[in-house]
Structure formats: structure tokens, C-alpha cells
Amino acid sequence: MTKANRGDLFDPQCPTRRLLDRIGTKWTSMAVKVLAEAAPDEVRFAELRRRMPGISQKMLSVTLQSLARDGLVARRVEPTVPPRVHYRLTELGLSLEGPLAALRHWAERHMSEIDRNNRLEDARSSAG
Amino acid sequence: MTKANRGDLFDPQCPTRRLLDRIGTKWTSMAVKVLAEAAPDEVRFAELRRRMPGISQKMLSVTLQSLARDGLVARRVEPTVPPRVHYRLTELGLSLEGPLAALRHWAERHMSEIDRNNRLEDARSSAG
DNA sequence: CCGTATCCGTAGGGATACTG
DNA sequence: CAGTATCCCTACGGATACGG
């Protein structure tokens, strides 16, 4: 690992910051999770949409394009009419699942405590 | 763990989505890292600012307030003139370092491959 | 069926100047 | 020194309509 890459979270090119810019977008972590659950099988566009309630057609398309561009997701088109498009995680995408799962685990265990802390602060500020 | 909390990344209240909304903001992961490196010692506001090049006074303040509100960071004011304010990670904050470090590690190992994939796509679109 | 284009509201976050 | 207030710009992302 080079010095420039080592740990400079300060560098705008910092890999961690740039990774978070990706998985921090609203639907990305969800898409990775759904595809990871299906892996190694592919999932069709419409099926993904059903498994991600609330997502718009546009945002699913944008999210998948971004993931495909990054090489985290592979896209396969069946040249039928109408076309069927299938998605699956690549090896790279699958390798991200571990760290993401760790984060999910932490969230599931600790977000309620964060909520409680926020409620305590609310009470404090309104009480004076 | 309740069913509602189980794994519904779909729920707008999904803990993972909400965690990412926090650590995904521009300076939060950086602040946690800097504080984690200093732990268990405290770090003063101005010192944090020096260790986070590029951050504005406003954003450092906002970021620390948010972390303090969540109970990830503890704030201690020395009532001197001028005041000195010290910050450190709480136990909760420290517990987040593990998952975050895993993500950083992945980023350091794999972001270059993501960059390469993007360059390949660029070449493809301009050539094709 | 799968995307793309357009329009637009909102929130993140930078620059700057001001208080205790 | 630490924090707040204001202004403003931009990008995310929702709704909707259209195209292959």
C-alpha cells in the first residue's frame, strides 16, 4: 500500500470517503444486500424492484448502473422481446458483503441506543 | 431482535439505512477515525480541526454535535477564558470503530480496482 | 419489460462574518 | 478558542412521462 493510500481519510481521494460516497447513497447498500441474499443466482430488474419496496424505477436503474460501472454488479441482457435483464454480484461485490454485514450487525445491535441517546437530549433541551 | 428490526433494509426506519445516513455524511467517518486514533485521550476542537484538513469550523461543529447527540462522542468543557472543549469517543463510539475499520480496510484494498473498472467503462463508451 | 429524460423540492455542506 | 448565523450552490433523489 502506498503512503498516499495508507490512511489519509483527509485526502479528497481517500478510498474510504469515496467508498462511503457510494454505499452511502440511499439504495446502494440495500441493493447489495438483496443481491447478496440471492447470490450466486441472478435477479431480474422487476424482481429487484419488488424486493426493494419504495424504490422508483429511475433510482433502481441509476443504482444498478453505478454498481455495474464500479464492477460490483454484473449485468446480463436476454435479447428477447421484451428484454429480460439479470443482475448478480461479482466477486468484488461479494467481497464487500462481509464488511457491510458487520456494519448491519452493529446497526441492529446499537441503533436503539442511539435513538435513546437522542431522546435524552431532546428531553434535556425542552426541560431547559 | 424483533421482526421489525430483523433485516428490513426496506423499512425507512431500517437501522442500517439510518446508520449509513449518519456515517455517510462527509466528515463523520473521518472524525470517528481521528478520535479513535487518539483514544482513550481527548482531543480539543482546534486540534481536531488541524487533523481534518479541509473541514470548516461550521462543519466540524455540526459533525461533533451530531455525534455527541447520538452518544458516540463525549464533550467536556473547561470553563476557562477562552474555553477549551475536549472530545473523545464513548464506549459506543469505540464499538463502531471495528466495523468502520473493516470498511476502511476493504476500501484500501479494493477502491483501485473500482477505479480501474470505471476507466474501462469510460474507454468502452468513448470508443464504442 | 427495462430503461431514459425532464422537472423540481429539499438537504448537505462551503464561505463568510459575527458572538461569548 | 469555540460556536452560531446567514447566504448560496449543488447533488440526491422523487414524480412523471416518454422511448426501444
Side-chain angles (χ1 to χ4, degrees), chain A residues 20-62:
Chain A
L20 284 169
D21 282 344
R22 288 153 202 269
I23 65 176
T25 60
K26 188 166 181 182
W27 301 100
T28 302
S29 62
M30 195 183 300
V32 171
K33 191 193 181 208
V34 168
L35 287 168
E37 285 171 349
D41 292 347
E42 297 175 319
V43 186
R44 290 184 56 188
F45 187 91
E47 177 63 21
L48 278 169
R49 214 182 157 187
R50 253 178 296 120
R51 296 190 194 182
M52 298 170 67
I55 196 171
S56 66
Q57 202 170 25
K58 171 191 164 183
M59 287 316 297
L60 181 53
S61 181
V62 165

Side-chain angles (χ1 to χ4, degrees), chain B residues 79-98:
Chain B
T80 55
V81 177
R84 294 165 176 224
V85 187
H86 306 259
Y87 296 90
R88 64 171 174 78
L89 286 186
T90 60
E91 282 301 313
L92 186 61
L94 280 168
S95 76
L96 181 56
E97 240 301 279

Side-chain angles (χ1 to χ4, degrees), chain B residues 11-12 17 23 26-27 34-35 43 51 70 75 77 79 84 93 95-96 101 108 120 124:
Chain B
D11 187 341
R17 180 90 289 286
I23 65 175
K26 188 166 182 184
W27 301 100
V34 169
L35 288 168
V43 186
R51 296 190 195 181
D70 287 344
R75 188 174 180 271
V77 182
R84 294 165 176 224
S95 76
L96 181 56
E108 285 159 8
L120 290 176
R124 186 177 302 263

